[in-house]
Amino acid sequence: MEIEAQAIARAALRLDGNFSRAVELILGHSGKLVVTALGKSGHVARKIVATLCSTGTPAVFLHAAEASHGDLGIYAPGDPTLMVSKSGSTPELLHLIPFLRELGSGRIGILGNPGSPLAAHMDVVLDGSVEREADPQNLTPTASATVALSLGHALAVALIRARNFGVEDFGRFHPGGHIGRTIKLTVREVMHQQGEVAWASPDDSLKQVVIAMTHHPHGAACVTDSEQRLIGIVTDGDVRRALQANDDIRGLRARDVMTVNPVRVAPEARLLDALRLMEDRPSQISVLPVVESATGICLGLLRLHDVYRVDPAWGQRLSG
């Protein structure tokens, strides 16, 4: 893994104006990008295609060995080509060059040998060379495959930036599964509201809080004032810590054990934003109070489990 990581780092240092020219060549044509390769490079090429398609750049994979047996019909005039090859001398790829020139296809090469025969026929070459592979015999395409894939990902990310491809765009291409759900659904659509949630006032005894949390076992109780504004939250962890720190808990109140000013989320936020609030932090949390931004009124709770759960209604919503 360290060999492959070092190979990527060295490839990043070699990036130059050719990378920008590759991005411009792809952006300069309104059609699709044809990505072609053979063998292990073919598997890398397929992954690059999948990433490009999911991020706003139409792309298709062309098997280099099948290309000259009819599959060249995939091209429309001017479609640019991305060739992936460790050796840079793959005969099946070299055989495509006359056709690509006739078609007016701009040619980008992710090549493990920038001085290879293929490199001489490219409009842009991205250097995918490595000092050595990761296997003991220095034969198996490991580091070279990883570097080629990282260069393909770099192109995809640069194109994301160039196209201003945002979260909503990503969601449009991922309507199903966990990603689509977290982008399309809001917190309000998934959260637990009012009667489903354990509530407490600051002066409630810890026993009262635990009873409420037992009746509504979502991992926390929302502590609010008389106008339902959030003051704090008592989680299962807060209860355990109170038991650990106190031999006699009978005098403890909600205010003594609650987390003041907890992390919160607005009801109109996307599930994706809520997930990031819970997970993208040094200490992850599993429950969020849902609070109206303007009034501070607490509406309910959102659990991490609610974000990840499989909801049959989501499938019905997609098909509808």
Side-chain angles (χ1 to χ4, degrees):
M1 292 172 69
E2 290 175 350
I3 289 172
E4 296 192 16
Q6 291 164 7
I8 292 175
R10 285 190 287 268
L13 292 174
R14 292 194 300 264
L15 290 178
D16 54 19
N18 279 332
F19 183 82
S20 297
R21 286 190 285 274
V23 173
E24 290 165 1
L25 192 155
I26 297 169
L27 286 172
H29 183 70
S30 59
K32 62 187 175 297
L33 175 67
V34 179
V35 185
T36 183
L38 195 66
K40 303 297 186 297
S41 295
H43 295 294
V44 171
R46 285 185 174 92
K47 173 56 174 70
I48 293 171
V49 165
T51 300
L52 289 166
C53 286
S54 70
T55 54
T57 298
V60 294
F61 173 73
L62 173 64
H63 193 292
E66 299 291 340
S68 59
H69 296 277
D71 285 2
L72 286 173
I74 200 172
Y75 276 96
D79 282 347
T81 301
L82 172 62
M83 291 186 166
V84 184
S85 174
K86 176 187 175 182
S87 68
S89 57
T90 308
E92 290 84 355
L93 294 178
L94 287 166
H95 292 162
L96 297 181
I97 299 301
F99 171 82
L100 297 178
R101 283 180 173 157
E102 180 182 344
L103 193 69
S105 174
R107 298 174 298 281
I108 304 166
I110 296 179
L111 306 176
N113 182 359
S116 63
L118 266 177
H121 298 291
M122 296 296 106
D123 296 305
V124 181
V125 173
L126 299 180
D127 186 351
S129 61
V130 298
E131 291 185 4
R132 65 161 290 113
E133 301 290 3
D135 70 294
Q137 290 76 34
N138 191 27
L139 293 174
T140 306
T142 48
S144 57
T146 302
V147 167
L149 182 59
S150 71
L151 287 168
H153 285 169
L155 283 174
V157 173
L159 290 163
I160 287 172
R161 292 180 179 273
R163 299 183 193 279
N164 293 317
F165 188 87
V167 172
E168 294 299 330
D169 301 305
F170 195 83
R172 189 165 60 253
F173 293 132
H174 294 78
H178 174 70
I179 292 177
R181 185 172 181 272
T182 58
I183 291 175
K184 293 294 185 181
L185 291 181
T186 66
V187 169
R188 189 187 298 276
E189 295 174 275
V190 177
M191 61 181 278
H192 296 274
Q193 303 184 46
Q194 299 302 326
E196 303 173 324
V197 175
W199 300 95
S201 69
D203 293 323
D204 284 349
S205 67
L206 181 57
K207 179 179 179 179
Q208 288 175 292
V209 175
V210 171
I211 290 172
M213 292 171 66
T214 302
H215 288 162
H216 303 284
H218 299 312
C222 297
V223 184
T224 60
D225 63 16
S226 59
E227 297 182 1
Q228 201 69 8
R229 290 190 296 260
L230 184 70
I231 299 174
I233 189 171
V234 177
T235 65
D236 289 340
D238 292 325
V239 174
R240 289 194 300 273
R241 284 185 286 274
L243 289 170
Q244 186 177 25
N246 297 272
D247 293 328
D248 186 354
I249 63 169
R250 288 175 294 181
L252 293 180
R253 303 292 171 183
R255 68 169 72 253
D256 300 320
V257 299
M258 70 183 186
T259 299
V260 180
N261 193 28
V263 179
R264 62 196 68 193
V265 67
E268 63 273 11
R270 290 184 297 243
L271 281 187
L272 178 64
D273 299 320
L275 182 62
R276 288 172 174 170
L277 280 174
M278 288 189 271
E279 293 196 329
D280 294 351
R281 51 190 297 109
S283 178
Q284 294 186 355
I285 53 180
S286 59
V287 62
L288 284 176
V290 182
V291 178
E292 287 185 340
S293 302
T295 64
I297 292 176
C298 186
L299 303 177
L301 282 173
L302 175 73
R303 300 174 303 164
L304 186 62
H305 174 75
D306 301 323
V307 178
Y308 282 110
R309 73 181 177 184
V310 177
D311 186 354
W314 175 235
Q316 296 171 6
R317 175 171 169 171
L318 286 175
S319 60

